[in-house]
Amino acid sequence: MSERQITFEVLRYNPETDDKPWVQTYAVPCQEEWVVLDAINYIKDHLDTSLSYRWSCHMAVCGSCGMMVNGEPTLSCKAFLRDYKGNTIRVEPLTHFPIERDLVVVLDDFMEKLTSVKPYIIPKKEKPVEEGEYKQTPRQLKNYKQYTMCINCMLCYAACPQYGLNDEFIGPAALALTHRYNLDSRDGGRSQRQEVVAQHEGVWECSFVGACSEVCPKDVDPAGAIQQMKIASTVDWYLEHLMPWRGK
Amino acid sequence: MSRKPYVREVPKATWYMRNGRYLRYMAREVTCIFLALYMAGLTIGLVRLMQGPDKWETYLAGVSSTPAVIFHLIAFGFACYHAKSWFDVTPKAMRIPQGNDFVPGRIIVGTHYGIWGGVSLVALVLMGVL
Ligand code: SF4
Ligand code: FES
């Protein structure tokens, strides 16, 4: 197996001793089949035990290893070194989020936004278990399936310039998840979620740059979800003003 | 252990310089300025038409001048770019169910081009160009 020497420039920040982040370089002997996360693990195991970062599954499922790799929001466990030319790779914590320590970012804001959109099924009518399961056709499943693939990796927030400029924006993943539940035939909670979706910091803060969908490792297409919700919210508005008798 | 999160500020005026994706977005948005200028020119034309034949002739001479022709060519180029960049993303906003799947994106984009071409053709026929 061939070995390749790569210099990793890693952004470091220790809240106890540093006033601002700084760059530390590590020379890592990399194996051909490695991903960026393997190199970072090598640094942790062999070069510098003080480096902090998050990871768990090493297979693009848990969503915890998101980092900026050469300036691009990336799952470091999915970033194969063979796809990077050159001998230097820069690794930084996800942009647009405060840095907790080294490559670890503060998740609080994202967590709050996720809960604000009620990302769970709110049944139209509660029915007792004896009445059996809620059935769905393949068509009904297809309508929302794509938006269930989200792994909450937050790459889309790091890619979104609007979130970077205004962190009040609910943001791509939370809105895509809202769409997921709104589209579910078993769900009746859309009007509850609309309070968050239809406000200015909801879908209307999005100017359709589309960067979120380009970086999403799961092809969730949050940008598409948001545009579809803009259309639905606009239809709501017209119905409400032109046909007030229709009621809610 | 104390927490002291570090916030990296986004440059407010130059944020779109950070990567190519943002620049492409800005190009899509900025090209509409040329569309607006073209529309303003067209509106002036309508006003001149209402003001009588003399004013209309002066207007026609104005838009036939070399600088005006150059402006129109540039505006047309930008209008095409603007339209293409929007047409390309229409499938994201329009998910049309078809069987157990959705109508493929290229059909949606193609339909937009088709309508654009059709309307342009009608306009050219009405203007007596074709
Ligand atoms: S929408 Fe995509 S990029 Fe955003 S959190 Fe979910 S999986 Fe990650
Ligand atoms: S380690 Fe789980 S997604 Fe990368």
Side-chain angles (χ1 to χ4, degrees), chain A residues 110 149-157 172-173 176 212 215-222:
Chain A
F110 177 60
M149 307 310 278
C150 174
I151 56 173
N152 297 345
C153 65
M154 311 191 304
L155 298 192
C156 49
Y157 284 76
C212 53
V215 302
C216 176
K218 293 286 164 185
D219 293 327
V220 171
D221 191 12

Side-chain angles (χ1 to χ4, degrees), chain B residues 13-33:
Chain B
T14 55
W15 64 267
Y16 56 88
M17 310 286 273
R18 285 187 296 160
N19 75 41
R21 241 176 237 131
Y22 300 168
L23 277 174
R24 269 205 311 280
Y25 158 76
M26 281 308 253
R28 182 186 82 196
E29 300 292 300
V30 168
T31 43
C32 77
I33 294 174

Side-chain angles (χ1 to χ4, degrees), chain B:
Chain B
M1 212 176 0
S2 65
R3 283 181 76 181
K4 195 182 75 178
Y6 183 86
V7 176
R8 291 161 288 175
E9 294 296 339
V10 171
K12 290 271 184 283
T14 55
W15 64 267
Y16 56 88
M17 310 286 273
R18 285 187 296 160
N19 75 41
R21 241 176 237 131
Y22 300 168
L23 277 174
R24 269 205 311 280
Y25 158 76
M26 281 308 253
R28 182 186 82 196
E29 300 292 300
V30 168
T31 43
C32 77
I33 294 174
F34 287 85
L35 280 166
L37 288 175
Y38 169 76
M39 292 304 291
L42 203 62
T43 313
I44 293 174
L46 283 176
V47 174
R48 291 287 177 264
L49 193 60
M50 274 164 29
Q51 288 167 338
D54 290 354
K55 299 270 184 191
W56 173 242
E57 285 305 325
T58 328
Y59 172 78
L60 278 189
V63 288
S64 316
S65 69
T66 316
V69 171
I70 292 174
F71 166 77
H72 279 88
L73 283 175
I74 295 174
F76 180 65
F78 281 138
C80 290
Y81 178 84
H82 189 75
K84 181 188 180 308
S85 57
W86 275 112
F87 285 179
D88 285 350
V89 291
T90 46
K92 287 193 184 300
M94 304 172 76
R95 287 212 312 167
I96 306 165
Q98 184 185 52
N100 274 338
D101 211 328
F102 297 98
V103 174
R106 63 195 148 75
I107 307 254
I108 295 177
V109 177
T111 309
H112 279 83
Y113 278 107
I115 295 173
W116 188 22
V119 171
S120 303
L121 209 64
V122 171
L124 288 173
V125 169
L126 287 179
M127 285 189 308
V129 179
L130 291 180

